[in-house]
Amino acid sequence: MAARFLVAMSVVVLLIESCMAAMFSARLIHRFSDEVKAYRAARSGVSGSWPEWRTMEYYKMLGRSDLERQKVMLGSKYQLLFPSEGSKTMSFGNDYGWLHYTWIDIGTPNISFLVALDAGSDLLWIPCDCIQCAPLSASYYGSLDRDLNQYSPSGSSTSKHLSCSHQLCESSPNCDSPKQLCPYTINYYSENTSSSGLLIEDILHLASGSDDASNSSVRAPVIIGCGMRQTGGYLDGVAPDGLMGLGLGEISVPSFLAKAGLVRNSFSLCFNDDDSGRIFFGDQGLATQQSTLFLPSDGKYETYIVGVEACCIGSSCIKQTSFRALVDSGASFTFLPDESYRNVVDEFDKQVNATRFSFEGSPWEYCYKFSSKELLKNPSVILKFALNNSFVVHNPVFVVHGYQGVVGFCLAIQPTDGDIGILGQNFMTGYRMVFDRENLKLGWSRSNCQDLTDGERMPFTPPPNDRPPNPLPANEQQNTHSGHTITPAVAGRAPSNPSAASTQLILSQFCLVKSLPLMLLLLHLLPSAF
């Protein structure tokens, strides 16, 4: 019996060894090799300087690399994090350029700021030691019950100025001295819109747990922009109290949280029909969500760009509507490259059950009158992605309100120059959008922004139903009840092939199936062998 057992065991071991040889191969590559340098430059977009072998800088970099690797191996400290004042986000419509906002706390003692959420840029900046900033009085805005704040590094005991020698100081080539305070200037999509000032390190206050339970307080060091001078839309009511960049850059808040090992390198934004929403850091979404890979731009992953393979209106999928698009929560509405735009709006116009009409001041070309006697049936708008993933746009139209109620609607899409479009907030409504930076993919699942998972409840009190409808946004400015005028915002910065399935996975499954009879035989022999 022992001989039979040894023979069976030998056969199984030989088979497993042959399978392992077919399944796996390895090539050792040093972390400071040219190959790794090229890979890191492609991922981060920054080539950086590499230390000479066996210098002190060489050993320092090895130590930092080991610490980061240890954090990855041990896993993140928290499953989810959100701003200390809650995970809720909100849109105030025309009062704030149609963007979503959330309250955050910064510094020691902490000060609150109402920041816009922008997945199209990286830096978190707030009004600071203002030379030229937007009005901060609540009386200037129609939707606030408290004044907005400005930050001052001298008022926070945990603030630290960044010098030009800091590795995240992009302006260092223009500095007169490495010890000079690091300046920053960011220009945004919207015309003549920018923020500039100095870079500061300070504490961002976060919480873990749930909004209705006792939360664990988390103090995360981040780099912020002390925004001393704003221009353009940032003086007219768009992001008057700052903007949180959520992009792929090393200076963004998600990057700092992941690098510190606090959460997984991912976050989610949820946008509901009632202008409410949620933000969670570390959220990688549901197992059942659909997804598509992010695409590099010039070989670098700098922004959240996806590849749309086709646009479908109703049951008609239109030719010549493939394009790349930036997924940008800092854009109020959606923009398509000109050829795709023309094909999409022409097909929508053919299928819509309404009369074409032009509303004065509308930024959109395809608008329609609506009578309450008519049954409005808008054709669906669907974006097709690789591997048969589809994104059904929940609300592609913008409803126009008049004194008598709803008077019409517009297809909320505009053309843009170039070959990269923008998927803005209006297309994300009704979805939990997961920006999985760890796996370089975008995930989405339908959500009312109340349920984070199948079993977890996200308590939220919606805004009152008696709130007046938002006025029609316009390129020609319109008056709001607060007395100032705002145009739809596009906050994000301009952006500068999915891989095939591995045959090794198929091979490994094949080997395991072939091994199964012999393993069963072994289990049969074991009792009689002892």
Side-chain angles (χ1 to χ4, degrees):
M1 286 298 176
R4 288 171 57 194
F5 168 72
L6 289 173
V7 170
M9 179 65 81
S10 299
V11 172
V12 170
V13 169
L14 286 173
L15 181 56
I16 292 176
E17 284 180 348
S18 65
C19 286
M20 295 293 288
M23 286 164 54
F24 302 108
S25 64
R27 184 165 58 93
L28 293 177
I29 302 173
H30 195 274
R31 71 185 78 180
F32 291 160
S33 67
D34 291 338
E35 195 168 340
V36 173
K37 293 176 188 178
Y39 171 77
R40 291 186 60 174
R43 283 294 298 265
S44 66
V46 179
S47 58
S49 58
W50 290 76
E52 292 294 328
W53 187 45
R54 291 186 175 179
T55 62
M56 187 58 67
E57 286 302 315
Y58 174 89
Y59 291 116
K60 284 182 180 179
M61 194 166 183
L62 279 176
R64 287 195 298 267
S65 177
D66 288 341
L67 285 174
E68 289 182 15
R69 182 170 174 270
Q70 184 181 24
K71 289 172 184 175
V72 171
M73 293 173 65
L74 294 175
S76 53
K77 187 173 183 180
Y78 303 98
Q79 183 179 2
L80 296 172
L81 290 176
F82 51 87
S84 57
E85 297 204 24
S87 65
K88 297 182 291 291
T89 69
M90 64 221 80
S91 172
F92 302 99
N94 206 38
D95 268 0
Y96 288 86
W98 302 90
L99 301 179
H100 264 248
Y101 293 79
T102 194
W103 288 101
I104 63 171
D105 289 342
I106 292 177
T108 308
N110 58 298
I111 300 176
S112 298
F113 298 90
L114 182 65
V115 294
L117 300 173
D118 180 21
S121 65
D122 299 325
L123 182 65
L124 163 60
W125 64 263
I126 50 180
C128 166
D129 291 344
C130 287
I131 298 173
Q132 182 174 282
C133 299
L136 300 176
S137 171
S139 61
Y140 186 79
Y141 308 97
S143 307
L144 289 180
D145 57 2
R146 53 172 155 161
D147 290 343
L148 302 175
N149 293 310
Q150 70 168 297
Y151 171 85
S152 179
S154 62
S156 173
S157 62
T158 47
S159 69
K160 301 175 186 175
H161 280 277
L162 262 67
S163 68
C164 288
S165 61
H166 195 283
Q167 61 179 355
L168 294 181
C169 181
E170 292 184 358
S171 302
S172 56
N174 301 321
C175 294
D176 296 329
S177 163
K179 295 182 180 180
Q180 180 183 327
L181 300 183
C182 179
Y184 81 89
T185 298
I186 299 183
N187 296 303
Y188 293 85
Y189 278 116
S190 296
E191 187 176 1
N192 299 322
T193 297
S194 68
S195 174
S196 59
L198 299 173
L199 291 184
I200 307 287
E201 181 184 305
D202 210 337
I203 298 297
L204 173 64
H205 296 266
L206 300 167
S208 67
S210 60
D211 284 348
D212 62 341
S214 57
N215 298 326
S216 172
S217 178
V218 179
R219 292 160 54 91
V222 297
I223 290 177
I224 63 175
C226 169
M228 306 167 73
R229 186 184 298 275
Q230 277 63 254
T231 64
Y234 294 148
L235 295 178
D236 296 331
V238 177
D241 208 24
L243 180 142
M244 182 187 288
L246 299 167
L248 282 165
E250 289 185 281
I251 207 167
S252 72
V253 168
S255 296
F256 282 115
L257 300 183
K259 191 169 283 189
L262 295 175
V263 289
R264 300 294 291 269
N265 193 9
S266 185
F267 71 92
S268 68
L269 293 170
C270 193
F271 304 101
N272 203 8
D273 286 319
D274 64 0
D275 294 333
S276 68
R278 296 279 175 176
I279 180 170
F280 284 98
F281 300 106
D283 183 15
Q284 292 188 303
L286 302 174
T288 56
Q289 70 186 4
Q290 295 195 72
S291 64
T292 190
L293 293 175
F294 293 126
L295 302 179
S297 176
D298 296 327
K300 303 172 185 176
Y301 289 95
E302 296 180 324
T303 51
Y304 304 115
I305 295 178
V306 295
V308 178
E309 294 194 342
C311 299
C312 304
I313 306 298
S315 59
S316 175
C317 291
I318 313 159
K319 294 181 180 179
Q320 296 180 318
T321 52
S322 63
F323 62 94
R324 292 181 299 156
L326 173 66
V327 185
D328 186 8
S329 66
S332 312
F333 301 108
T334 294
F335 300 78
L336 303 185
D338 191 67
E339 182 180 21
S340 297
Y341 169 80
R342 290 296 162 197
N343 291 331
V344 167
V345 295
D346 286 347
E347 184 63 31
F348 183 90
D349 190 52
K350 291 176 186 176
Q351 296 189 29
V352 72
N353 178 31
T355 305
R356 185 88 175 268
F357 188 78
S358 178
F359 292 100
E360 184 179 357
S362 168
W364 300 301
E365 184 180 2
Y366 283 77
C367 296
Y368 304 86
K369 284 196 300 185
F370 173 71
S371 170
S372 58
K373 298 178 182 179
E374 299 173 356
L375 181 61
L376 178 62
K377 289 186 177 180
N378 286 323
S380 61
V381 177
I382 302 172
L383 305 180
K384 294 285 188 179
F385 293 95
L387 303 178
N388 205 30
N389 287 294
S390 61
F391 186 100
V392 180
V393 181
H394 181 56
N395 189 15
V397 302
F398 186 91
V399 176
V400 182
H401 293 269
Y403 293 109
Q404 304 301 319
V406 176
V407 296
F409 63 94
C410 300
L411 180 60
I413 302 174
Q414 291 177 264
T416 185
D417 296 332
D419 60 350
I420 297 181
I422 298 176
L423 303 183
Q425 277 184 22
N426 67 318
F427 268 38
M428 303 183 209
T429 300
Y431 282 97
R432 172 180 170 190
M433 306 295 297
V434 176
F435 296 78
D436 188 344
R437 302 142 53 90
E438 189 171 305
N439 298 298
L440 291 175
K441 66 180 182 179
L442 176 74
W444 63 89
S445 57
R446 289 296 296 269
S447 177
N448 61 5
C449 304
Q450 304 292 312
D451 299 308
L452 181 60
T453 66
D454 294 335
E456 294 183 41
R457 188 75 177 163
M458 297 195 303
F460 178 72
T461 303
N465 292 326
D466 58 354
R467 184 180 63 184
N470 289 321
L472 177 72
N475 285 339
E476 298 175 13
Q477 294 178 335
Q478 299 183 64
N479 291 325
T480 68
H481 58 273
S482 57
H484 68 288
T485 55
I486 297 174
T487 54
V490 185
R493 298 178 74 177
S496 19
N497 302 321
S499 59
S502 173
T503 57
Q504 296 295 340
L505 177 61
I506 300 172
L507 178 60
S508 66
Q509 292 171 337
F510 176 72
C511 283
L512 289 174
V513 170
K514 287 191 68 176
S515 303
L516 187 58
L518 284 175
M519 289 179 179
L520 291 174
L521 173 63
L522 176 63
L523 290 174
H524 176 72
L525 292 173
L526 279 175
S528 57
F530 294 96

